Amino acid sequence: MSIEDRPEVTDLLGRYPECVDTANIDGYADLFLPDGVVEHAGGLVRGREAIRAWVAGLEMDGRIGPDSNLKHFLGLPVIRGDNRRCTARTYVLIPR
């Protein structure tokens, strides 16, 4: 993984709260590769289409989006990878 890759991955992570807090479902899903994985408190969601459906369900339940009282804040990421793939992990704080 090159030094130039890290800011791009950090930018991608920065788009996460923007998409989820505005309920940009397609934008959120497009942050992931077709075989991407979201790990959250309730388990794992595997694959871009499953991720899209999961986050759309969060919007339908009123748990995300502009009408929700929740806002997502990310911690500093841990980014690991090579020139083909990487993983990024961060904590998400969702104050009520």
Side-chain angles (χ1 to χ4, degrees):
M1 186 169 200
S2 75
I3 193 83
E4 293 85 13
D5 292 333
R6 290 185 175 278
E8 290 185 25
V9 174
T10 302
D11 181 67
L12 185 130
L13 288 169
R15 290 194 309 260
Y16 163 86
E18 178 182 52
C19 289
V20 82
D21 288 341
T22 61
N24 179 351
I25 306 305
D26 290 330
Y28 182 84
D30 289 343
L31 296 174
F32 297 88
L33 291 172
D35 62 345
V37 176
V38 173
E39 182 178 347
H40 59 92
L44 296 175
V45 182
R46 296 181 184 274
R48 183 185 294 145
E49 293 311 312
I51 292 168
R52 185 183 322 276
W54 172 69
V55 81
L58 294 176
E59 180 191 21
M60 286 181 15
D61 291 344
R63 296 173 57 195
I64 65 165
D67 295 331
S68 169
N69 292 330
L70 305 179
K71 299 295 174 217
H72 294 72
F73 295 89
L74 274 60
L76 293 172
V78 175
I79 303 168
R80 295 188 175 105
D82 56 30
N83 64 346
R84 294 187 55 220
R85 271 182 105 72
C86 79
T87 60
R89 290 185 174 267
T90 186
Y91 285 95
V92 178
L93 175 66
I94 310 168
R96 295 179 187 242

